[in-house]
């Protein structure tokens, strides 16, 4: 392992030297010396050297407007290159243990479950039946441009080549030079279609290779450990997407965009399969085939597999041409195309069976099985597209319609009145919408979206998610709209419970829905519910939100079990603790017992998609972690909390909620302080994603999306959303003599342990001294009192976590994470100090050069922190 760490240090050093040579070549040795001076001063300042800190601040303050941008770019790109080296190091470590059954590997889990009394067939059948959907979202936290991501991938390829003895130095230096001479910041926001294409690129460049490798490893470990096999058509993990379907508060996602993304997704899948089948056809030159394959071909030929695959290839080409014509609005060709997985799978399974029957099983297990495994995961649509829209947009449709019919105001009716109206219309045979009705543009867009969804292939669609859902009528309204537009199947319509009040009401809402006989029949025995992490945390603080989420899941699980309905929980997690982030497998195992029952959906967003799935070897590892955690949580969940733990948690959640809201909602200085101390206002200029930073441009913090809310606090290292409220709740518990109880809860309750560990991780990335410098530069003396108070509370939270875990400093049991943070700090610190300087300059004398440098500091801090929002 020491050799691996030495290799990591060598990679970081060589990448840094290459970047230095590039910078020196453009700006001269004097500028490079200035950068090295800044780095050394930052490193010494980390060691509590006040003189070094003062010198560092003076050097940064003396930078001219022409110098700040290249300085910011230099430190930003070094951090990006350090990230690449670290990811490559993770791959090396992973490859070292490929054939070893480690304690956290699937083979160990299979053996452990067998020892606990689960027979081999139960484990294998549960694994085969599992449906874990990883939902790729376009939430704007990926600050890097796609063109730079491709160059970073090229750098990673060079590092792999160097490990294998290849001569990659020249290419490596060329790529780093390209990176330096490329703008970090997009000139324009990406469109929703461009976001979707970025998601497709992650699949093409990494997951397309990772999925068959993951499934083959799963099958092999199942066979070696338990003597069972994973069916070729089974894929416990699949992918869905919100890119091009999430229109909640994003006016750029229109019905036309959704239709285009649905078609592009199918085209991309057909193109990838076409390439695979074309390559496989060149390999399968064998002449021996069984009678079934020869009958299916229908002609006598010397090379039956090539003939069969040639037919598949032709139909895939037809599919691409048909989709292309539809995208262009041209007449559709009258040729056979693939509409579903079964059509594509059937001829390939015939080839597989024939090869096996004819003694060529080793050939069947090669590239042919890889294609079959990919079809099991990706189908013919690559990803299933979810639709998301706010409940008030659906209500607006019926408000305008009820006014047109002279029925009064739909929005003014009681919930019972709305349900009666919707159920009556759902069972009516006449059309809902009159021919001479002229709805508003907003309503027409909702109707157009429902029409696109209704006309889409069933296999292309995931769920229809309703944000800000709180009543059964919110769900029934969507079903009625889809039905009236002619949808041919019962699409999953999923309420998203986001605020704390909505979470508390979730069980009653679903109970009222399942009380409706018509609706329960519609569900066909399967109810999906989405749990919101981002907005509930922003609404109530992390501690109260986490407990509210836990209780909502408990209530929903018990309810659906009573009603004989299978529940799938959809977790709207983000990359940061403030948005439900943290290690996925520990989060799954910390859920209430029974809430993970063979199925789970979870969002993967922004830069976390690239970190988790951008490199095939790392993607395989994360897929194994998801599959293993869901299997274990299904068969052998942890017991629920003891009553004393529950009471303690309820008490702390109430204290945390009151403490959090006292500051965020009730302190008149909070919003002015937030806007002065953080780059929240300037963040809107950073062209991250296709959607606006606010739901309403005239609103305050309550209208700010959860991502920029957390992004802004992360930039100044105060990390307020992750700990505010917890300081009071944990502090009162410890003060009241409950520290031993908290330690027992940490040791024996996965939920509380996961909460404390995630809190510890984010606290380790916080830095009161950095936050204080932002105050010093940007905040008035009056508002600075609040800032000082918050920093004191942050330090108190650190002390409390250390007391609960009985340690002297954070991350004692996670030295690799601690080292990673410590190594990056000397490169992030100058960006923080520079950002505060730039904010000060830009707010007094706005300048385009300063704005560009400011945005680069945001990107650099994001790269150094490894998660943003």
């Amino acid at each position: 392992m020491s050799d691996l760490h030495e290799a990591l240090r060598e990679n970081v050093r060589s990448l840094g030297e290459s970047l230095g040579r590039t910078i020196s070549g453009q700006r001269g040795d004097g500028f490079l010396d200035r950068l090295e001076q800044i780095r050394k001063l930052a490193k010494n300042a980390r060691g509590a050297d006040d003189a070094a800190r003062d010198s560092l601040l003076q050097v940064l303050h003396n930078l001219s407007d022409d110098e700040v941008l290249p300085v910011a770019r230099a430190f930003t790109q070094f951090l990006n290159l350090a990230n690449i080296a670290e990811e490559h190091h993770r791959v090396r470590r992973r490859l070292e243990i490929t054939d070893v059954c480690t304690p956290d590997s699937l083979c160990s889990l299979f053996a452990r479950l067998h020892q606990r009394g689960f027979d081999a067939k139960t484990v294998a059948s549960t694994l085969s039946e599992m449906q874990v959907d990883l939902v790729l979202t376009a939430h704007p936290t990926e600050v890097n441009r796609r063109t730079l991501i491709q160059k970073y991938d090229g750098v990673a390829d060079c590092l792999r080549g160097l490990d294998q003895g290849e001569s990659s130095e020249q290419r490596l230096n060329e790529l780093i030079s390209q990176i330096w001479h490329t703008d970090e910041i997009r000139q324009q926001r990406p469109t929703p279609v461009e976001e979707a294409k970025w998601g497709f690129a992650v699949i093409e460049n990494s997951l397309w290779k990772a999925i068959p490798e993951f499934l083959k490893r799963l099958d092999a470990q199942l066979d070696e450990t338990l003597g069972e096999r994973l069916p070729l058509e089974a894929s416990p993990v699949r992918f869905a997407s919100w890119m091009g379907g999430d229109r909640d508060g994003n006016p750029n996602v229109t019905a036309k965009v959704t239709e285009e993304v649905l078609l592009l997704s199918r085209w991309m899948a057909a193109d990838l399969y076409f390439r695979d089948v074309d390559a496989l056809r060149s390999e399968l030159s064998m002449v021996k085939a069984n009678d079934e394959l020869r009958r299916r071909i229908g002609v006598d030929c010397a090379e039956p597999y090539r003939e069969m695959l040639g037919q598949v290839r032709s139909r895939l080409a037809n599919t691409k041409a048909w989709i292309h014509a539809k995208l262009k609005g041209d007449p559709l060709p009258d040729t056979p195309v693939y509409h579903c997985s079964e059509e594509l799978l059937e001829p390939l399974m015939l080839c597989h069976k024939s090869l096996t029957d004819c003694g060529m099983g080793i050939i069947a297990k090669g590239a042919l099985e890889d294609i079959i495994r990919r079809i099991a995961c990706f189908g013919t649509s690559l990803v299933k597209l979810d639709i998301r829209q706010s409940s008030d947009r659906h209500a607006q449709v019926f408000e305008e319609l009820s006014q047109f019919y002279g029925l009064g105001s739909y929005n003014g009716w009681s919930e019972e009145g709305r349900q009666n109206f919707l159920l009556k219309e759902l069972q009516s045979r006449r059309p809902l919408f009159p021919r001479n009705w002229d709805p508003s543009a907003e309503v027409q867009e909702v109707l157009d979206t429902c029409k696109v969804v209704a006309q889409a292939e069933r296999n292309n669609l995931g769920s229809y998610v309703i944000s800000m859902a709180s009543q059964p009528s919110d769900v029934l309204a969507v079903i009625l709209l889809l039905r009236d537009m002619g949808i041919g199947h019962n699409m999953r319509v999923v309420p998203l419970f986001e605020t704390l009040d909505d979470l508390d009401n979730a069980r009653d809402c679903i109970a009222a829905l399942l009380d409706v006989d018509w609706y329960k029949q519609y569900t066909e025995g399967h109810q999906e519910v989405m749990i919101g992490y981002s907005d509930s945390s922003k609404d109530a603080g992390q501690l109260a939100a986490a407990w509210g989420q836990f209780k909502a899941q408990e209530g929903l699980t018990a309810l659906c079990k009573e009603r004989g309905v299978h529940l799938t929980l959809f977790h709207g997690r983000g990359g940061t603790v403030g948005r439900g982030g943290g290690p996925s497998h520990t989060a799954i195992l910390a859920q209430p017992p029974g809430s993970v029952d063979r199925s789970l959906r979870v969002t993967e967003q922004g830069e976390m998609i690239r970190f988790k799935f951008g490199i095939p070897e790392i993607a395989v590892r994360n897929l194994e972690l998801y599959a293993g955690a869901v299997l274990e949580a299904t068969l052998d969940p942890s017991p629920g909390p003891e009553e004393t733990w529950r009471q303690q948690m309820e008490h702390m959640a109430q204290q945390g909620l009151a403490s959090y809201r006292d500051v965020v909602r009730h302190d008149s200085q909070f919003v002015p302080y937030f806007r002065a101390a953080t780059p929240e206002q300037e963040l809107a200029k950073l062209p991250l994603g296709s959607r606006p930073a606010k739901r309403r441009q005239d609103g305050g913090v309550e209208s700010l999306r959860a991502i920029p809310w957390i992004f802004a606090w992360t930039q100044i290292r105060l990390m307020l959303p992750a700990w505010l409220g917890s300081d009071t709740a944990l502090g009162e518990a410890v003060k009241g003599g409950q520290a031993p109880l908290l330690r027992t809860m940490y040791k024996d309750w996965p939920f509380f342990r996961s909460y404390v560990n995630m809190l510890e991780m984010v606290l380790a990335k916080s830095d009161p001294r950095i936050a204080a410098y932002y105050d010093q530069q940007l905040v008035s003396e009056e508002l600075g009192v609040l800032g000082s108070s918050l920093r004191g509370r942050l330090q108190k939270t650190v002390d409390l976590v250390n007391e609960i875990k009985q340690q002297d400093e954070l991350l004692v049991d996670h030295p690799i994470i601690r080292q990673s943070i410590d190594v990056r700090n000397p490169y992030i610190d100058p960006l923080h100090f520079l950002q505060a300087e730039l904010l000060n300059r830009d707010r007094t004398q706005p300048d385009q050069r300063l704005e560009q440098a400011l945005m680069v500091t945001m990107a650099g801090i994001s790269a150094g922190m490894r998660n943003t929002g």
Side-chain angles (χ1 to χ4, degrees):
M1 189 62 74
S2 60
D3 290 342
L4 281 179
H5 283 300
E6 183 55 42
L8 170 60
R9 284 192 289 269
E10 174 60 26
N11 285 157
V12 172
R13 185 190 61 77
S14 64
L15 292 175
E17 288 180 352
S18 178
L19 178 63
R21 288 192 296 271
T22 299
I23 294 172
S24 179
Q26 186 196 29
R27 300 194 64 91
D29 290 342
F31 183 77
L32 189 61
D33 291 342
R34 178 78 62 86
L35 292 176
E36 181 60 15
Q37 177 194 19
I38 293 171
R39 187 192 71 80
K40 285 183 177 178
L41 287 170
K43 187 174 182 180
N44 291 337
R46 272 279 154 187
D49 183 340
D50 291 337
R53 187 174 189 269
D54 292 341
S55 298
L56 172 63
L57 294 175
Q58 191 61 48
V59 170
L60 294 172
H61 180 73
N62 290 339
L63 291 175
S64 69
D65 288 354
D66 289 328
E67 289 178 309
V68 290
L69 178 57
V71 168
R73 295 188 66 234
F75 283 96
T76 293
Q77 289 307 345
F78 182 85
L79 287 164
N80 279 313
L81 293 173
N83 287 345
I84 296 168
E86 192 169 273
E87 287 166 8
H88 177 60
H89 176 62
R90 288 169 62 200
V91 172
R92 271 194 299 238
R93 287 169 55 203
R94 179 72 184 145
L95 292 175
E96 256 207 354
I97 60 169
T98 296
D99 298 319
V100 180
C101 201
T102 57
D104 62 348
S105 62
L106 285 168
C107 50
S108 294
L109 172 61
F110 296 153
R112 195 160 65 247
L113 289 171
H114 193 55
Q115 290 168 2
R116 289 183 65 91
F118 297 97
D119 64 79
K121 288 197 179 300
T122 298
V123 174
S125 63
T126 303
L127 195 63
S128 301
E129 294 165 4
M130 276 171 26
Q131 293 187 348
V132 181
D133 278 2
L134 304 182
V135 186
L136 310 180
T137 79
H139 286 348
T141 61
E142 173 57 85
V143 295
N144 288 303
R145 295 175 59 196
R146 185 175 168 189
T147 185
L148 279 172
I149 290 171
Q150 291 167 341
K151 297 181 195 305
Y152 297 149
D153 289 344
V155 170
D157 289 339
C158 288
L159 292 179
R160 278 193 287 273
L162 289 170
D163 282 351
Q164 295 161 11
E166 298 173 7
S167 180
S168 303
E169 289 88 350
Q170 178 61 34
R171 177 59 177 161
L172 189 60
N173 290 329
E174 180 187 344
L175 282 166
I176 289 175
S177 183
Q178 288 180 12
I179 289 166
W180 176 251
H181 291 286
T182 300
D183 282 344
E184 291 88 348
I185 307 300
R186 302 179 184 97
Q187 297 303 308
Q188 297 177 322
R189 289 185 179 274
T191 67
V193 172
E194 288 169 341
E195 288 173 329
K197 288 179 177 178
W198 178 82
F200 301 159
V202 173
I203 294 175
E204 178 183 6
N205 297 332
S206 176
L207 287 167
W208 200 252
K209 177 182 176 183
I211 281 295
E213 178 64 25
F214 158 64
L215 293 172
K216 282 190 292 187
R217 283 172 56 85
L218 199 57
D219 177 51
Q221 292 183 52
L222 195 60
D223 183 28
E224 291 167 13
T225 312
L226 300 177
E228 294 287 336
R229 305 302 298 262
L230 183 74
L232 278 175
E233 312 93 284
S235 180
V237 182
R238 303 181 187 185
F239 293 89
S241 176
W242 277 14
M243 302 181 192
D246 179 11
R247 60 233 318 115
D248 177 24
N250 188 349
N252 300 310
V253 180
T254 63
K256 187 176 181 182
V257 164
T258 296
E259 183 176 24
E260 183 177 357
V261 169
L262 282 165
L263 290 169
L264 285 172
S265 183
R266 286 184 63 192
W267 187 94
M268 190 72 204
D271 185 57
L272 289 170
Y273 288 129
F274 180 91
R275 288 183 244 168
D276 280 0
V277 170
D278 190 48
L280 180 63
R281 184 177 177 275
S282 68
E283 289 189 13
L284 297 193
S285 55
M286 291 66 67
V287 298
K288 194 174 181 183
N290 64 13
D291 292 341
E292 190 178 1
L293 179 61
R294 292 193 178 278
R295 281 196 303 271
R296 175 69 167 74
I297 292 170
V299 294
D300 189 22
C301 62
E303 296 179 325
Y305 300 98
R306 283 183 169 172
E307 175 64 28
M308 183 79 265
L309 292 173
Q311 293 177 17
V312 174
R313 185 181 64 175
S314 294
R315 190 164 175 183
L316 284 166
N318 292 344
T319 303
K320 290 169 62 181
W322 185 88
I323 295 169
H324 184 74
K326 192 153 187 172
L327 282 165
K328 293 288 186 183
D330 296 339
L332 299 180
D334 186 19
T335 52
V337 301
Y338 286 118
H339 291 285
C340 64
S341 303
E342 291 75 17
E343 295 172 339
L344 178 57
L345 202 55
E346 186 260 345
L348 298 175
M349 292 298 288
L350 275 176
C351 289
H352 188 278
K353 185 174 187 301
S354 178
L355 286 168
T356 305
D357 288 350
C358 297
M360 295 179 281
I362 190 171
I363 299 173
K365 289 181 180 298
L368 176 57
E369 275 198 7
D370 285 352
I371 300 175
I372 293 170
R373 297 284 195 195
R374 287 179 181 123
I375 295 170
C377 176
F378 297 112
T380 50
S381 62
L382 206 64
V383 292
K384 292 182 182 293
L385 187 67
D386 279 7
I387 307 297
R388 183 168 77 135
Q389 182 59 282
S390 179
S391 60
D392 60 353
R393 293 295 301 275
H394 308 126
Q396 186 184 354
V397 176
F398 292 102
E399 174 65 19
E400 291 189 17
L401 194 64
S402 62
Q403 297 280 6
F404 177 85
Y405 278 130
L407 299 175
S409 169
Y410 177 86
N411 288 333
W413 295 347
S414 66
E415 172 61 17
E416 183 183 7
R418 291 190 193 189
Q419 287 187 39
N420 289 338
F421 169 78
L422 295 168
L423 286 168
K424 181 180 177 183
E425 292 297 330
L426 278 164
Q427 296 169 78
S428 172
R429 295 187 178 183
R430 64 167 175 76
L432 176 66
F433 303 110
R435 290 183 181 178
N436 59 338
W437 183 41
D438 185 24
S440 66
E442 291 84 0
V443 165
Q444 188 61 55
E445 178 57 41
V446 173
L447 299 179
D448 291 344
T449 296
C450 290
K451 187 172 183 180
V452 166
V453 173
Q455 293 176 348
E457 298 276 356
R458 178 175 185 168
N459 296 322
N460 285 27
L461 297 170
S463 302
Y464 193 121
V465 179
I466 311 167
S467 56
M468 294 300 171
S470 58
Q471 301 291 345
S473 61
D474 294 330
V475 175
L476 296 174
V478 172
I479 298 173
L480 177 55
L481 292 174
L482 294 175
R483 281 284 181 98
D484 212 69
M485 290 299 166
I487 197 168
H489 69 283
N490 291 354
M491 186 178 184
R492 298 193 307 269
V493 177
V494 181
L496 163 54
F497 299 109
E498 299 177 81
T499 66
L500 187 61
D501 285 345
D502 286 345
L503 288 168
D504 290 342
N505 187 50
R507 187 191 191 282
D508 291 343
C509 178
I510 299 301
L513 262 173
L514 295 176
D515 282 341
V516 178
D517 291 337
W518 184 93
Y519 175 78
K520 188 172 181 184
Q521 188 175 1
Y522 174 90
T523 67
E524 299 173 341
H526 180 204
Q527 176 66 52
E528 184 176 321
V529 177
M530 186 168 182
I531 303 295
Y533 286 73
S534 309
D535 284 293
S536 58
S537 180
K538 185 163 76 77
D539 171 50
Q542 178 64 15
L543 181 64
W547 183 233
Q549 293 148 12
F550 188 92
K551 290 192 297 179
Q553 292 176 68
E554 277 189 322
L556 290 166
T557 300
L559 170 70
C560 288
K561 187 176 182 181
E562 290 168 12
R563 303 297 179 88
V565 173
H566 181 264
L567 173 68
T568 293
L569 287 167
F570 183 0
H571 299 268
R573 293 180 175 274
T576 58
V577 171
R579 300 191 62 241
S584 304
H585 62 291
T586 56
I588 292 168
L589 293 172
Q591 303 308 311
S595 64
V596 181
D597 181 10
R598 291 164 291 148
S599 62
L600 178 84
R601 304 189 88 218
V602 61
T603 52
E604 293 287 0
Q605 56 91 43
E607 81 280 11
M608 300 312 295
I609 295 173
R610 185 162 58 92
F611 291 161
K612 287 186 177 182
F613 305 113
I615 297 174
E617 294 84 356
I618 294 176
V620 169
R621 175 59 178 156
N622 280 297
L623 292 166
E624 289 179 342
L625 287 171
Y626 267 118
V630 172
L631 178 65
E632 186 171 3
T634 297
L635 291 178
D636 194 24
S638 302
E642 294 182 4
E643 188 56 35
T644 53
W645 304 350
R646 184 184 295 279
Q647 291 173 4
Q648 181 63 37
M649 196 67 212
E650 183 68 36
H651 184 62
M652 289 194 301
Q654 292 301 321
Q655 288 182 312
L657 173 66
S659 176
Y660 175 87
R661 287 183 174 172
D662 276 348
V663 175
V664 174
R665 290 193 181 183
H666 306 313
D667 189 327
S668 61
Q669 291 191 321
F670 178 76
V671 172
Y673 172 76
F674 170 58
R675 297 209 159 126
T678 76
E680 182 260 330
Q681 301 285 311
E682 291 78 7
L683 182 61
K685 301 173 185 175
L686 190 61
L688 286 176
S690 67
R691 59 200 245 175
K694 290 185 177 181
R695 288 184 168 90
R696 299 192 317 276
Q697 293 307 308
D698 60 343
V701 170
E702 77 287 346
S703 70
L704 193 69
R705 292 190 179 280
I707 292 169
W709 161 250
I710 291 172
F711 196 114
W713 291 112
T714 303
Q715 290 283 305
I716 71 167
R717 301 289 282 274
L718 195 60
M719 309 301 211
L720 177 139
W723 59 263
L724 185 63
S726 298
D727 59 314
T728 302
L730 295 175
E732 289 297 317
V734 169
K735 186 178 175 182
Q738 299 301 314
L741 176 61
L742 296 183
R743 291 183 189 122
T744 301
M745 291 164 63
Y746 178 82
K747 177 176 171 288
D748 296 332
W749 188 13
F751 165 77
F752 190 67
R753 182 166 60 250
S754 175
Y755 167 73
V756 172
N757 285 343
M758 287 194 285
L759 178 58
E760 178 187 30
M761 192 187 309
V762 78
L763 289 173
K765 292 186 176 184
S766 67
D767 194 317
R769 292 184 73 198
I770 294 290
Y773 185 71
Y774 280 84
D775 278 16
Q776 179 185 326
Q777 290 292 99
L778 304 168
V779 175
S780 68
E781 188 174 337
E782 180 187 4
L783 293 176
V785 175
L786 176 58
S788 178
S789 168
L790 292 172
R791 292 192 298 277
R793 294 177 66 169
L794 167 62
Q795 184 56 54
K796 175 187 170 186
T797 315
V798 172
D799 296 339
L800 287 165
V801 168
N802 284 334
E803 184 168 353
I804 291 168
K805 294 192 68 175
Q806 296 181 290
Q807 59 192 20
D808 294 328
E809 60 181 15
L810 298 174
L811 297 179
V812 170
D813 47 358
H814 294 284
I816 293 176
I817 298 175
R818 177 77 266 170
Q819 181 188 36
S820 177
I821 294 170
D822 291 343
V823 166
R824 282 173 169 75
N825 276 332
Y827 297 91
I828 308 175
D829 289 357
L831 290 170
H832 284 299
F833 296 136
L834 196 54
Q835 184 180 87
E837 175 76 26
L838 288 166
L839 285 168
N840 193 10
R841 293 189 198 182
D842 191 52
R843 288 175 183 179
T844 52
Q845 289 185 310
D847 182 286
Q848 190 170 359
R849 290 172 301 173
L850 297 181
E851 285 191 2
Q852 180 74 5
L854 181 57
M855 287 190 284
V856 171
T857 64
M858 292 180 188
I861 292 167
S862 299
M865 299 293 285
R866 296 305 302 264
N867 51 18
T868 52

